[in-house]
Amino acid sequence: MATDPLAPFRWLAVPAGHEDNLFDEIFCVSFLRGLEPAEVLRRFAKPEARQGTPQGLPQGREMSLDEYGHAAFEFGDRYGGALGGGHVGVVQAGDWCVALELFGWEAAMRDTLATLSSDGEVVAVLRHDYANHHVAYALDGETVTSFNPYMPDMRSGCDPDRLNELLREVGLPLKPATGDEDWNDLYATAIARSFHLAARITGIVLTPDILTGPLLVGPVQGT
């Protein structure tokens, strides 16, 4: 029996409101190589939060996923969702840190991505059911390639074709989808394929256990 290569990632694409959906309809997960969680928080933090704390690091707080979700929901509700969830939760996973932004998208923004990837490597996957999904890969402060996974043929960055072989392998087409069948498949699987791509780059197959805590939580830039 053939195995489904997307099976480990389909939970990240479950519709909002489903009992198996952990992160709702807007979230961003970034993978950052070679950094400690406290340094990840420092890079995410708004400038004011980088000052007045030991070694310039924002004071992170350990939270469960439920506690973090409550804080992010309260922040989003306070500002009508315009500023995202206001927080990021970080956990170490081998040589990488995994950063979760509930109701947020900062890691997918070019300026933030440059800061996060300074002297390092970052993969970011944004699910945003009300706007555009986004995938970005950055090295040493530069976005190498980025794209909407519904339209992976339209890539930008300093070397947009760098990951082409991996895109082919995970089923993100390098040419526009033709016909309803191809488009419907891409529409249904774009998020799972994006996290499959992230796994091929980082070696991390994202599972619920990785992000169910404890998370080191701090503020994000721009809030």
Side-chain angles (χ1 to χ4, degrees), residues 79-96:
Y79 294 102
L83 299 177
H87 302 75
V88 59
V90 185
V91 66
Q92 192 83 43
D95 293 334
W96 296 75

Side-chain angles (χ1 to χ4, degrees), residues 161-182:
D161 296 333
R162 175 84 65 91
L163 302 180
N164 281 8
E165 188 57 38
L166 287 180
L167 265 66
R168 291 189 189 96
E169 290 177 13
V170 303
L172 290 168
L174 301 179
K175 295 182 179 180
T178 57
D180 290 345
E181 185 175 348
D182 288 345

Side-chain angles (χ1 to χ4, degrees), residues 2-183:
T3 58
D4 175 9
L6 297 181
F9 311 102
R10 291 189 184 276
W11 68 277
L12 292 150
V14 171
H18 191 283
E19 62 180 1
D20 293 331
N21 181 303
L22 295 182
F23 304 146
D24 221 334
E25 64 269 294
I26 302 172
F27 65 88
C28 186
V29 179
S30 48
F31 304 82
L32 307 95
R33 183 170 57 86
L35 300 178
E36 298 291 328
E39 172 63 12
V40 174
L41 288 189
R42 188 191 73 82
R43 296 189 183 201
F44 265 103
K46 58 185 178 181
E48 304 94 286
R50 297 177 188 172
Q51 302 170 4
T53 55
Q55 291 81 48
L57 297 177
Q59 294 177 344
R61 175 185 169 191
E62 282 200 347
M63 294 183 176
S64 69
L65 181 62
D66 284 345
E67 291 171 327
Y68 167 40
H70 182 72
F73 177 82
E74 290 235 324
F75 183 94
D77 189 55
R78 187 183 316 146
Y79 294 102
L83 299 177
H87 302 75
V88 59
V90 185
V91 66
Q92 192 83 43
D95 293 334
W96 296 75
C97 274
V98 181
L100 170 65
E101 297 173 73
L102 293 175
F103 313 113
W105 48 80
E106 276 296 319
M109 304 296 289
R110 184 174 294 272
D111 289 348
T112 305
L113 188 61
T115 299
L116 295 176
S117 65
S118 177
D119 300 317
E121 182 178 10
V122 175
V123 184
V125 180
L126 167 65
R127 172 179 167 177
H128 198 315
D129 289 2
Y130 300 137
N132 292 315
H133 304 322
H134 192 74
V135 178
Y137 175 64
L139 286 171
D140 298 324
E142 282 196 279
T143 299
V144 176
T145 186
S146 66
F147 55 91
N148 180 336
Y150 286 157
M151 297 177 288
D153 56 298
M154 300 178 64
R155 301 176 301 282
S156 61
C158 66
D159 187 4
D161 296 333
R162 175 84 65 91
L163 302 180
N164 281 8
E165 188 57 38
L166 287 180
L167 265 66
R168 291 189 189 96
E169 290 177 13
V170 303
L172 290 168
L174 301 179
K175 295 182 179 180
T178 57
D180 290 345
E181 185 175 348
D182 288 345
W183 168 247

